[in-house]
Amino acid sequence: MDAISGKSCRVGILGMGYVGLPMATILAKKGFRVKGGDINPKIVETINRGESPINENGIESMVSQAVSSGNLEATLDTDSVVQESDVILVVVQTPIDDEKKPNLSAIKSAISTISKNLREGSLIIIESTLPPGATEGELLPILEESGLRAGHDFYLAYSPERAIPTKTIEEIQKNSRIVGGITDESAALASALYSQITTGELITTDIKTAEMVKVIENTFRDVNIALSNEIAMLCEKLGVDAMSAIEMANKHPRVNLLRPGTGVGGHCIPKDPHFLIGKARELGVELKVITSARQVNENMPKHLLKMIEKALGSADKKISDSKVAILGIAYKGDTDDIRETPSKEIIETLARMKCDVFSHDPFVSQDFGKKFSNNLEDAARDADCLVIVTDHNEYKSLDLARLSKILKKPGVIVDGRRIIDPKLAAESDFRYFGVGY
Ligand code: SAJ
């Protein structure tokens, strides 16, 4: 415990990605010597140059300071990270495969590296999102192949990350955390480390409960968004503005509905409910609400495609002989992350329908092999329809009068994120269609 409070302990982090790298820079800034291990040479080289391989508010200066202070070094030699560290954090991705089953290969590889080099007295903290029971059921046996016993010869804890991309640095330092320990001592030691970097409340529990809490949090968001999406689809038929109705319902002191949209992307929310669905199936429990919510959200890109067809139809046009400008490739506003982005299905389906699809995104520099530009007017010029897929801030203040001049007449806009005021659209002679409108 003294080594932690005295910051003399060496911290190793396996996985220098969207969470591992911010974590490493914060620990380094607080005075810990941190060695970050990754399997990607580009990531390691970039960090050791004092630069950030990821886009995150404040991360560039954090990496530069951490590396120049000598408190952060990155390496491909993950064995050395374990050999030289007293505390090892595991922050690698835990994706699902095409059958929606957990793919724990990356974390099992990281755990094997730890097991091969494990020293008595080490504290191992797993942060990656896992199906409930996976730490003790699948990872602990690998660690104990070292001949050392968890809770006796080394400490083992599980503490999931809750920070939201674009605010990761800020939130790691203020969010409360759940800290599960294989023993109370393991939980206490892990809490001692986190108390050095966050002002948030630290709640200790057992490992399986901590794993479950994380998946519950993200499943809550997915189900909430699915409810909003279902309400939006009904409102479109009902002639009620779903956004107004949701905003008014949220005035209720105990109602907090999220926003309807074009679908749920990212590397967490679409994935984590499947950890619960899969575990429940193993245990003979059917999760009807969670499964249906996933289906509703996975269907939203198809709903948006139907809206595009209807919007073009209002101008007697068809998708196959139109140019459609897609605004937004990233999975959510003001990020360059395209993992599980709803726009992929929308763009590829439009292309298959022989549509002249042209995408724009201010943050992303890649497309899906279709026409793309970081210049909005390139995408909008002579377009038959403007489709907002991602809620980038830039799109909330579009120059509608200008765009109305460069689009083909009649101007048609499909607002998949409900960030354009329908009245302002109408003032610029746009025919406005919106999710839930
Ligand atoms: N979305 C909606 N309507 C909403 C909110 C989001 O359609 O009202 C969509 C977004 O457009 C996006 C997807 O859902 O496509 C997910 O976005 P998100 O804001 O819910 O959260 P993520 O994917 O950025 O999730 C991250 C995760 N944290 C980390 O990766 C470390 C997740 O574990 C967190 O719970 C979440 O942030 C958070 O809100 O903190």
PDB file of all heavy atoms in Angstrom, residues 177-204:
ATOM      1  N   ARG A 177     -15.845   4.755  -9.440  1.00  0.00           N
ATOM      2  CA  ARG A 177     -15.432   3.469 -10.031  1.00  0.00           C
ATOM      3  C   ARG A 177     -15.906   2.329  -9.135  1.00  0.00           C
ATOM      4  O   ARG A 177     -15.958   2.441  -7.918  1.00  0.00           O
ATOM      5  CB  ARG A 177     -13.900   3.360 -10.125  1.00  0.00           C
ATOM      6  CG  ARG A 177     -13.209   4.233 -11.118  1.00  0.00           C
ATOM      7  CD  ARG A 177     -11.757   3.833 -11.229  1.00  0.00           C
ATOM      8  NE  ARG A 177     -11.617   2.694 -12.136  1.00  0.00           N
ATOM      9  CZ  ARG A 177     -11.125   2.803 -13.372  1.00  0.00           C
ATOM     10  NH1 ARG A 177     -10.742   3.978 -13.833  1.00  0.00           N
ATOM     11  NH2 ARG A 177     -11.011   1.755 -14.156  1.00  0.00           N
ATOM     12  N   ILE A 178     -16.235   1.227  -9.810  1.00  0.00           N
ATOM     13  CA  ILE A 178     -16.512  -0.024  -9.110  1.00  0.00           C
ATOM     14  C   ILE A 178     -15.203  -0.804  -9.098  1.00  0.00           C
ATOM     15  O   ILE A 178     -14.548  -0.921 -10.138  1.00  0.00           O
ATOM     16  CB  ILE A 178     -17.578  -0.846  -9.868  1.00  0.00           C
ATOM     17  CG1 ILE A 178     -18.818   0.008 -10.142  1.00  0.00           C
ATOM     18  CG2 ILE A 178     -17.908  -2.114  -9.114  1.00  0.00           C
ATOM     19  CD1 ILE A 178     -19.505   0.532  -8.907  1.00  0.00           C
ATOM     20  N   VAL A 179     -14.791  -1.289  -7.930  1.00  0.00           N
ATOM     21  CA  VAL A 179     -13.541  -2.045  -7.844  1.00  0.00           C
ATOM     22  C   VAL A 179     -13.836  -3.401  -7.225  1.00  0.00           C
ATOM     23  O   VAL A 179     -14.204  -3.493  -6.033  1.00  0.00           O
ATOM     24  CB  VAL A 179     -12.488  -1.296  -6.989  1.00  0.00           C
ATOM     25  CG1 VAL A 179     -11.165  -2.074  -6.994  1.00  0.00           C
ATOM     26  CG2 VAL A 179     -12.266   0.121  -7.525  1.00  0.00           C
ATOM     27  N   GLY A 180     -13.726  -4.466  -8.053  1.00  0.00           N
ATOM     28  CA  GLY A 180     -13.969  -5.824  -7.547  1.00  0.00           C
ATOM     29  C   GLY A 180     -12.642  -6.488  -7.231  1.00  0.00           C
ATOM     30  O   GLY A 180     -11.696  -6.365  -8.001  1.00  0.00           O
ATOM     31  N   GLY A 181     -12.575  -7.203  -6.103  1.00  0.00           N
ATOM     32  CA  GLY A 181     -11.327  -7.890  -5.728  1.00  0.00           C
ATOM     33  C   GLY A 181     -11.569  -9.363  -5.487  1.00  0.00           C
ATOM     34  O   GLY A 181     -12.648  -9.755  -5.021  1.00  0.00           O
ATOM     35  N   ILE A 182     -10.556 -10.194  -5.820  1.00  0.00           N
ATOM     36  CA  ILE A 182     -10.667 -11.638  -5.544  1.00  0.00           C
ATOM     37  C   ILE A 182     -10.663 -11.838  -4.030  1.00  0.00           C
ATOM     38  O   ILE A 182     -11.233 -12.799  -3.512  1.00  0.00           O
ATOM     39  CB  ILE A 182      -9.512 -12.429  -6.219  1.00  0.00           C
ATOM     40  CG1 ILE A 182      -9.816 -13.924  -6.255  1.00  0.00           C
ATOM     41  CG2 ILE A 182      -8.181 -12.152  -5.548  1.00  0.00           C
ATOM     42  CD1 ILE A 182     -10.594 -14.317  -7.487  1.00  0.00           C
ATOM     43  N   THR A 183     -10.028 -10.862  -3.339  1.00  0.00           N
ATOM     44  CA  THR A 183     -10.107 -10.799  -1.870  1.00  0.00           C
ATOM     45  C   THR A 183     -10.307  -9.329  -1.497  1.00  0.00           C
ATOM     46  O   THR A 183     -10.073  -8.431  -2.327  1.00  0.00           O
ATOM     47  CB  THR A 183      -8.767 -11.251  -1.218  1.00  0.00           C
ATOM     48  OG1 THR A 183      -7.715 -10.421  -1.757  1.00  0.00           O
ATOM     49  CG2 THR A 183      -8.483 -12.724  -1.501  1.00  0.00           C
ATOM     50  N   ASP A 184     -10.704  -9.097  -0.259  1.00  0.00           N
ATOM     51  CA  ASP A 184     -10.894  -7.697   0.162  1.00  0.00           C
ATOM     52  C   ASP A 184      -9.587  -6.924   0.037  1.00  0.00           C
ATOM     53  O   ASP A 184      -9.559  -5.757  -0.331  1.00  0.00           O
ATOM     54  CB  ASP A 184     -11.376  -7.661   1.625  1.00  0.00           C
ATOM     55  CG  ASP A 184     -12.795  -8.230   1.755  1.00  0.00           C
ATOM     56  OD1 ASP A 184     -13.435  -8.420   0.687  1.00  0.00           O
ATOM     57  OD2 ASP A 184     -13.219  -8.504   2.885  1.00  0.00           O
ATOM     58  N   GLU A 185      -8.474  -7.635   0.341  1.00  0.00           N
ATOM     59  CA  GLU A 185      -7.164  -6.954   0.271  1.00  0.00           C
ATOM     60  C   GLU A 185      -6.866  -6.529  -1.166  1.00  0.00           C
ATOM     61  O   GLU A 185      -6.355  -5.449  -1.418  1.00  0.00           O
ATOM     62  CB  GLU A 185      -6.080  -7.894   0.796  1.00  0.00           C
ATOM     63  CG  GLU A 185      -4.805  -7.174   1.175  1.00  0.00           C
ATOM     64  CD  GLU A 185      -3.723  -8.137   1.683  1.00  0.00           C
ATOM     65  OE1 GLU A 185      -3.939  -9.373   1.622  1.00  0.00           O
ATOM     66  OE2 GLU A 185      -2.680  -7.638   2.117  1.00  0.00           O
ATOM     67  N   SER A 186      -7.212  -7.409  -2.129  1.00  0.00           N
ATOM     68  CA  SER A 186      -6.982  -7.066  -3.548  1.00  0.00           C
ATOM     69  C   SER A 186      -7.800  -5.837  -3.917  1.00  0.00           C
ATOM     70  O   SER A 186      -7.303  -4.908  -4.561  1.00  0.00           O
ATOM     71  CB  SER A 186      -7.376  -8.237  -4.446  1.00  0.00           C
ATOM     72  OG  SER A 186      -6.563  -9.365  -4.210  1.00  0.00           O
ATOM     73  N   ALA A 187      -9.051  -5.812  -3.471  1.00  0.00           N
ATOM     74  CA  ALA A 187      -9.917  -4.659  -3.788  1.00  0.00           C
ATOM     75  C   ALA A 187      -9.372  -3.398  -3.125  1.00  0.00           C
ATOM     76  O   ALA A 187      -9.357  -2.324  -3.736  1.00  0.00           O
ATOM     77  CB  ALA A 187     -11.342  -4.940  -3.302  1.00  0.00           C
ATOM     78  N   ALA A 188      -8.876  -3.535  -1.909  1.00  0.00           N
ATOM     79  CA  ALA A 188      -8.358  -2.360  -1.192  1.00  0.00           C
ATOM     80  C   ALA A 188      -7.113  -1.801  -1.880  1.00  0.00           C
ATOM     81  O   ALA A 188      -6.960  -0.590  -2.046  1.00  0.00           O
ATOM     82  CB  ALA A 188      -8.033  -2.746   0.251  1.00  0.00           C
ATOM     83  N   LEU A 189      -6.234  -2.701  -2.319  1.00  0.00           N
ATOM     84  CA  LEU A 189      -5.008  -2.263  -3.002  1.00  0.00           C
ATOM     85  C   LEU A 189      -5.351  -1.557  -4.316  1.00  0.00           C
ATOM     86  O   LEU A 189      -4.832  -0.472  -4.618  1.00  0.00           O
ATOM     87  CB  LEU A 189      -4.093  -3.457  -3.290  1.00  0.00           C
ATOM     88  CG  LEU A 189      -3.075  -3.814  -2.227  1.00  0.00           C
ATOM     89  CD1 LEU A 189      -2.305  -5.053  -2.653  1.00  0.00           C
ATOM     90  CD2 LEU A 189      -2.108  -2.652  -1.957  1.00  0.00           C
ATOM     91  N   ALA A 190      -6.265  -2.156  -5.076  1.00  0.00           N
ATOM     92  CA  ALA A 190      -6.655  -1.537  -6.355  1.00  0.00           C
ATOM     93  C   ALA A 190      -7.300  -0.178  -6.096  1.00  0.00           C
ATOM     94  O   ALA A 190      -7.012   0.803  -6.794  1.00  0.00           O
ATOM     95  CB  ALA A 190      -7.604  -2.462  -7.112  1.00  0.00           C
ATOM     96  N   SER A 191      -8.132  -0.115  -5.061  1.00  0.00           N
ATOM     97  CA  SER A 191      -8.758   1.177  -4.721  1.00  0.00           C
ATOM     98  C   SER A 191      -7.714   2.210  -4.341  1.00  0.00           C
ATOM     99  O   SER A 191      -7.835   3.387  -4.698  1.00  0.00           O
ATOM    100  CB  SER A 191      -9.739   0.999  -3.547  1.00  0.00           C
ATOM    101  OG  SER A 191     -10.823   0.224  -3.958  1.00  0.00           O
ATOM    102  N   ALA A 192      -6.668   1.755  -3.662  1.00  0.00           N
ATOM    103  CA  ALA A 192      -5.602   2.688  -3.269  1.00  0.00           C
ATOM    104  C   ALA A 192      -4.956   3.300  -4.509  1.00  0.00           C
ATOM    105  O   ALA A 192      -4.662   4.502  -4.552  1.00  0.00           O
ATOM    106  CB  ALA A 192      -4.553   1.968  -2.428  1.00  0.00           C
ATOM    107  N   LEU A 193      -4.812   2.482  -5.550  1.00  0.00           N
ATOM    108  CA  LEU A 193      -4.218   3.025  -6.790  1.00  0.00           C
ATOM    109  C   LEU A 193      -5.170   4.043  -7.419  1.00  0.00           C
ATOM    110  O   LEU A 193      -4.783   5.167  -7.727  1.00  0.00           O
ATOM    111  CB  LEU A 193      -3.935   1.897  -7.784  1.00  0.00           C
ATOM    112  CG  LEU A 193      -3.346   2.385  -9.118  1.00  0.00           C
ATOM    113  CD1 LEU A 193      -1.866   2.745  -8.961  1.00  0.00           C
ATOM    114  CD2 LEU A 193      -3.526   1.356 -10.219  1.00  0.00           C
ATOM    115  N   TYR A 194      -6.463   3.653  -7.516  1.00  0.00           N
ATOM    116  CA  TYR A 194      -7.404   4.563  -8.199  1.00  0.00           C
ATOM    117  C   TYR A 194      -7.615   5.846  -7.404  1.00  0.00           C
ATOM    118  O   TYR A 194      -7.873   6.919  -7.963  1.00  0.00           O
ATOM    119  CB  TYR A 194      -8.744   3.859  -8.464  1.00  0.00           C
ATOM    120  CG  TYR A 194      -8.664   2.817  -9.551  1.00  0.00           C
ATOM    121  CD1 TYR A 194      -8.917   1.484  -9.290  1.00  0.00           C
ATOM    122  CD2 TYR A 194      -8.306   3.176 -10.859  1.00  0.00           C
ATOM    123  CE1 TYR A 194      -8.825   0.517 -10.293  1.00  0.00           C
ATOM    124  CE2 TYR A 194      -8.209   2.222 -11.867  1.00  0.00           C
ATOM    125  CZ  TYR A 194      -8.463   0.897 -11.577  1.00  0.00           C
ATOM    126  OH  TYR A 194      -8.365  -0.049 -12.572  1.00  0.00           O
ATOM    127  N   SER A 195      -7.440   5.754  -6.071  1.00  0.00           N
ATOM    128  CA  SER A 195      -7.641   6.983  -5.271  1.00  0.00           C
ATOM    129  C   SER A 195      -6.570   8.021  -5.590  1.00  0.00           C
ATOM    130  O   SER A 195      -6.725   9.208  -5.317  1.00  0.00           O
ATOM    131  CB  SER A 195      -7.586   6.641  -3.769  1.00  0.00           C
ATOM    132  OG  SER A 195      -6.267   6.226  -3.426  1.00  0.00           O
ATOM    133  N   GLN A 196      -5.469   7.559  -6.209  1.00  0.00           N
ATOM    134  CA  GLN A 196      -4.407   8.495  -6.605  1.00  0.00           C
ATOM    135  C   GLN A 196      -4.793   9.284  -7.859  1.00  0.00           C
ATOM    136  O   GLN A 196      -4.170  10.299  -8.176  1.00  0.00           O
ATOM    137  CB  GLN A 196      -3.102   7.712  -6.905  1.00  0.00           C
ATOM    138  CG  GLN A 196      -2.570   6.915  -5.750  1.00  0.00           C
ATOM    139  CD  GLN A 196      -1.975   7.828  -4.659  1.00  0.00           C
ATOM    140  OE1 GLN A 196      -1.401   8.882  -4.960  1.00  0.00           O
ATOM    141  NE2 GLN A 196      -2.169   7.449  -3.419  1.00  0.00           N
ATOM    142  N   ILE A 197      -5.795   8.770  -8.618  1.00  0.00           N
ATOM    143  CA  ILE A 197      -6.046   9.443  -9.910  1.00  0.00           C
ATOM    144  C   ILE A 197      -7.474   9.943 -10.081  1.00  0.00           C
ATOM    145  O   ILE A 197      -7.759  10.693 -10.998  1.00  0.00           O
ATOM    146  CB  ILE A 197      -5.712   8.527 -11.112  1.00  0.00           C
ATOM    147  CG1 ILE A 197      -6.578   7.271 -11.084  1.00  0.00           C
ATOM    148  CG2 ILE A 197      -4.244   8.179 -11.144  1.00  0.00           C
ATOM    149  CD1 ILE A 197      -6.572   6.532 -12.404  1.00  0.00           C
ATOM    150  N   THR A 198      -8.410   9.508  -9.226  1.00  0.00           N
ATOM    151  CA  THR A 198      -9.771  10.015  -9.402  1.00  0.00           C
ATOM    152  C   THR A 198     -10.307  10.582  -8.095  1.00  0.00           C
ATOM    153  O   THR A 198      -9.992  10.081  -7.010  1.00  0.00           O
ATOM    154  CB  THR A 198     -10.742   8.933  -9.930  1.00  0.00           C
ATOM    155  OG1 THR A 198     -12.048   9.519 -10.066  1.00  0.00           O
ATOM    156  CG2 THR A 198     -10.858   7.738  -8.973  1.00  0.00           C
ATOM    157  N   THR A 199     -11.133  11.615  -8.242  1.00  0.00           N
ATOM    158  CA  THR A 199     -11.786  12.177  -7.047  1.00  0.00           C
ATOM    159  C   THR A 199     -13.153  11.505  -6.862  1.00  0.00           C
ATOM    160  O   THR A 199     -13.862  11.793  -5.911  1.00  0.00           O
ATOM    161  CB  THR A 199     -12.023  13.691  -7.266  1.00  0.00           C
ATOM    162  OG1 THR A 199     -12.751  13.849  -8.503  1.00  0.00           O
ATOM    163  CG2 THR A 199     -10.700  14.442  -7.353  1.00  0.00           C
ATOM    164  N   GLY A 200     -13.485  10.621  -7.804  1.00  0.00           N
ATOM    165  CA  GLY A 200     -14.796   9.953  -7.751  1.00  0.00           C
ATOM    166  C   GLY A 200     -14.853   8.921  -6.631  1.00  0.00           C
ATOM    167  O   GLY A 200     -13.825   8.469  -6.124  1.00  0.00           O
ATOM    168  N   GLU A 201     -16.105   8.554  -6.295  1.00  0.00           N
ATOM    169  CA  GLU A 201     -16.308   7.549  -5.243  1.00  0.00           C
ATOM    170  C   GLU A 201     -15.775   6.191  -5.678  1.00  0.00           C
ATOM    171  O   GLU A 201     -15.924   5.810  -6.837  1.00  0.00           O
ATOM    172  CB  GLU A 201     -17.816   7.434  -4.953  1.00  0.00           C
ATOM    173  CG  GLU A 201     -18.186   6.461  -3.860  1.00  0.00           C
ATOM    174  CD  GLU A 201     -19.697   6.263  -3.742  1.00  0.00           C
ATOM    175  OE1 GLU A 201     -20.445   6.811  -4.594  1.00  0.00           O
ATOM    176  OE2 GLU A 201     -20.131   5.557  -2.799  1.00  0.00           O
ATOM    177  N   LEU A 202     -15.133   5.466  -4.799  1.00  0.00           N
ATOM    178  CA  LEU A 202     -14.616   4.126  -5.102  1.00  0.00           C
ATOM    179  C   LEU A 202     -15.448   3.112  -4.322  1.00  0.00           C
ATOM    180  O   LEU A 202     -15.500   3.160  -3.094  1.00  0.00           O
ATOM    181  CB  LEU A 202     -13.137   4.023  -4.726  1.00  0.00           C
ATOM    182  CG  LEU A 202     -12.216   4.974  -5.507  1.00  0.00           C
ATOM    183  CD1 LEU A 202     -10.798   4.957  -4.947  1.00  0.00           C
ATOM    184  CD2 LEU A 202     -12.196   4.605  -6.996  1.00  0.00           C
ATOM    185  N   ILE A 203     -16.120   2.244  -5.044  1.00  0.00           N
ATOM    186  CA  ILE A 203     -17.013   1.266  -4.406  1.00  0.00           C
ATOM    187  C   ILE A 203     -16.429  -0.130  -4.596  1.00  0.00           C
ATOM    188  O   ILE A 203     -16.242  -0.564  -5.722  1.00  0.00           O
ATOM    189  CB  ILE A 203     -18.420   1.345  -5.049  1.00  0.00           C
ATOM    190  CG1 ILE A 203     -18.975   2.772  -4.959  1.00  0.00           C
ATOM    191  CG2 ILE A 203     -19.365   0.342  -4.399  1.00  0.00           C
ATOM    192  CD1 ILE A 203     -19.909   3.129  -6.101  1.00  0.00           C
ATOM    193  N   THR A 204     -16.095  -0.784  -3.493  1.00  0.00           N
ATOM    194  CA  THR A 204     -15.487  -2.118  -3.629  1.00  0.00           C
ATOM    195  C   THR A 204     -16.557  -3.210  -3.526  1.00  0.00           C
ATOM    196  O   THR A 204     -17.556  -3.057  -2.830  1.00  0.00           O
ATOM    197  CB  THR A 204     -14.429  -2.350  -2.532  1.00  0.00           C
ATOM    198  OG1 THR A 204     -15.031  -2.130  -1.273  1.00  0.00           O
ATOM    199  CG2 THR A 204     -13.238  -1.419  -2.724  1.00  0.00           C
TER     200      THR A 204
END
